Each structure stands twice: as structure tokens, then as C-alpha cells.
Amino acid sequence: MTDSRTRQERAADPVTVLGLGAMGTALAGALLAGGHDVTVWNRTAARAEPLVARGARAAATVEEAVTASPLVIVCVLDDDAVHQTLGPVTPALADRALVNLTNGTPAQARATSAWATGHGAHYVDGGIMAIPPMIGHPGATVLYSGDQAAFATHRETLERFGAATFLGTDPGAAALHDLALLSGMYGMLGGFLHAVAMVGTEGGKAAEFTSALLIPWLNTMMTALPEYARQIDAGETGGHDSNLAMQSVGYVNLIEGSRAQGLRTDLIEPMRNLIDRAVAEGKGGEDLQGLVPLITAGPPAA
Ligand code: NDP
């Protein structure tokens, strides 16, 4: 699948986008802005209209959309929707590069890869690390894994969305790293939401608190992560600076202080539970890095 043409020669390569929710619309829009010949399809046909007004061609059926382009991008709600969309048109998939940017699990990516490859498609799975307004702008990254030749052939087209990072030929790798990054994001956002709610109980403004105090604090804490990560890779569990026994006592204040301000504690309870469990298992002398083996061990027996 190698393609020796210049970037300019590939500029108008035909691309199909299946799924025109907020994200699929942004993806198709970035391709149109890049000068591509874009065919679109959506289950609810009316959602194609704004893109058609910008120059896209609306296919009447999935089959027509898939056969219109050598590169087919699918971005629908979930894995079930991918299979409901493509299941009835498997003969059309042969020799297409199928890039699935629908959020899913590594197992779903591997199963969809085997299924699509079995129908002759060149399958690449992807994880979009951006929200729709970021697509096509600096800061957007999309993770890819799977068929390396198909990725290489269409790389420049895929870079219309943002930086394109290829993580290897295991089709599950992009989903694994996508979910890992999302867990980091939700952890940070959960902390942010609880923090602004807490300050708000006494009339504090979220905007002022966030700029003046929270962001500088989180940036400072971020500088500790490389050393934590090094220790985790080395199997070291810390125990030098902020031991878990101390943190388990201090965390009570976070819970009780929140309750006293009338707050729900859903977002902050899980970390406390894990710290307390570690202390109960005799790990009170370790630092937070010592929680990783507890997470890796899986859920406690019921
Ligand atoms: P939307 O809710 O805006 O759109 C969902 C899309 O999926 C619509 O095109 C919808 O079609 C389609 N769909 C749902 N069920 C089916 C089905 N059974 N058969 C065919 N099509 C179906 O979601 P987004 O566009 O925001 O998200 C799309 C994917 O992108 C998701 O996997 C999401 O996790 C991922 N993503 C989204 C981000 C975001 O910030 N928006 C960020 C990163 C990833 P219809 O119009 O007919 O309902």
C-alpha cells in the first residue's frame, strides 16, 4: 500500500466519513478544509446537510459511501454502532483502508480488526485525544495502531485531524493508551470539579480560584510524576516523603471537611478507599506509588 506521491498530489484524495455526530462532523470538516474529496454518511441523513453545503457529497447508503473512497473513516457512538453500520456491507470493505476512530476497548479493537481483516480491509484503530473544536488545530492528537502500511499510506490525510501517533501493529494498542490517557484526564477533572465545589461553598469563584491557585498547584504536582513513574517502573514503592499511613489520616479531613461544607464525596472516596486498603495490608510505610500493585491485582474478591 505504499504511495510515492507528494503531499500536494494527495491533497484531494477521496475520503469517506461514516458517522456525523459532533466528532465525525469535525473530522469531515477538517478533510474539506484540507481540500479532500469527502463523501459522508450518517444514520440520520439530515446531519450531513451542513457538510454538503461546504462541499461534501452525501451518500444515500453505507455501501455507496464505503465504495466511494479507498480510505474509510468510521466515527460513531460505540462498537455496536460500528458493527450495525458496517455489518451489512462487508463485501464493500475489501481493499479499503478502514480507520475506526470510535472510542472502544482494546478487546473490541482486536475483534473488529480480525473481523474487518477477514473481509479484506486494511484495519487501523484510533483514539482521538481531542474534543471536536480542536480537530485540525494544534494540540489535537490521534493515536493509531494496526495495519502499518495502511497508516503510512494515509498518514498525511490523517494528519489533517492533528498529530498522528502510531503505537504499533497490535490493533488494541491505540485503545489501551486512549483509555489510559482518559483515566488521567478524568482523575484530574474529578479533582477540579470537587475543588471548585468546595471553594464555592464559601462564595469563592471557580474562575479566580482555578487561575490563581489550582493550576499553579497542579503544575507543581505534575513535576513529581516523572520520578513517581521511574519508581513504578523500578518496582520501588517510595516511603521517603509522604507515606500512606500519614495520607490515610490526612484524607479523613478531606472527606469530613467536604461533608461539613455540605458536599457529596463521590469523587474523592475511591482514592481514600485504596489508601486505607493499602494501610490495612501493611503498606503504610509506602508512598502513593505503592497503590499501583493494588490496582494491578484487580478488584477484591466479592
Ligand atoms: P455524538 O453523540 O455527537 O454522535 C454519535 C454518532 O453515532 C451519530 O452520528 C449517530 O448517528 C451515530 N450512531 C449512534 N448509534 C448508531 C447506530 N446504531 N448506527 C449508526 N450510527 C449510530 O458523538 P460524537 O460524534 O461526539 O462521538 C463519536 C465517537 O467519537 C464516540 O465513540 C466518542 O467516544 C468519540 N470521541 C468523541 C469526543 C468528543 O469530545 N465528542 C472526543 C474523543 C472521542 P445519528 O446522528 O443517526 O444518531
Side-chain angles (χ1 to χ4, degrees), residues 19-24 41-44 47 75-77 81 84-85 101-103 128 130-132:
L20 303 175
M23 186 54 86
W41 174 89
N42 192 60
R43 181 180 62 175
T44 307
R47 289 181 97 168
C75 185
V76 287
L77 184 64
Q84 282 164 20
T85 301
L101 298 184
T102 304
N103 184 263
I128 302 173
I131 57 173

Side-chain angles (χ1 to χ4, degrees), residues 141-168:
T141 295
V142 183
L143 309 176
Y144 297 95
S145 62
D147 188 316
Q148 190 157 14
F151 174 77
T153 297
H154 297 288
R155 178 177 196 131
E156 285 158 6
T157 301
L158 298 173
E159 283 173 344
R160 301 285 185 199
F161 306 143
T165 302
F166 189 73
L167 294 173

Side-chain angles (χ1 to χ4, degrees), residues 7-190:
R7 185 179 183 114
Q8 204 168 10
E9 285 168 334
R10 294 181 211 193
D13 268 359
V15 188
T16 288
V17 179
L18 305 174
L20 303 175
M23 186 54 86
T25 296
L27 298 173
L31 293 168
L32 286 170
H36 289 268
D37 174 1
V38 181
T39 298
V40 294
W41 174 89
N42 192 60
R43 181 180 62 175
T44 307
R47 289 181 97 168
E49 286 165 14
L51 289 162
V52 170
R54 293 175 58 191
R57 195 174 68 84
T61 63
V62 177
E63 186 175 21
E64 185 187 323
V66 169
T67 51
S69 314
L71 171 59
V72 176
I73 290 165
V74 56
C75 185
V76 287
L77 184 64
D78 59 10
D79 188 59
D80 284 347
V82 171
H83 289 275
Q84 282 164 20
T85 301
L86 293 172
V89 300
T90 48
L93 295 177
D95 288 331
R96 308 281 146 197
L98 177 62
V99 177
N100 181 10
L101 298 184
T102 304
N103 184 263
T105 66
Q108 287 170 342
R110 290 176 189 129
T112 302
S113 174
W115 172 82
T117 304
H119 291 289
H122 306 283
Y123 184 83
V124 177
D125 204 85
I128 302 173
M129 308 318 303
I131 57 173
M134 293 168 65
I135 296 297
H137 299 287
T141 295
V142 183
L143 309 176
Y144 297 95
S145 62
D147 188 316
Q148 190 157 14
F151 174 77
T153 297
H154 297 288
R155 178 177 196 131
E156 285 158 6
T157 301
L158 298 173
E159 283 173 344
R160 301 285 185 199
F161 306 143
T165 302
F166 189 73
L167 294 173
T169 54
D170 171 4
L176 181 79
H177 289 80
D178 179 359
L179 296 181
L181 291 176
L182 288 181
S183 79
M185 179 193 80
Y186 279 117
M188 180 192 74
L189 291 178

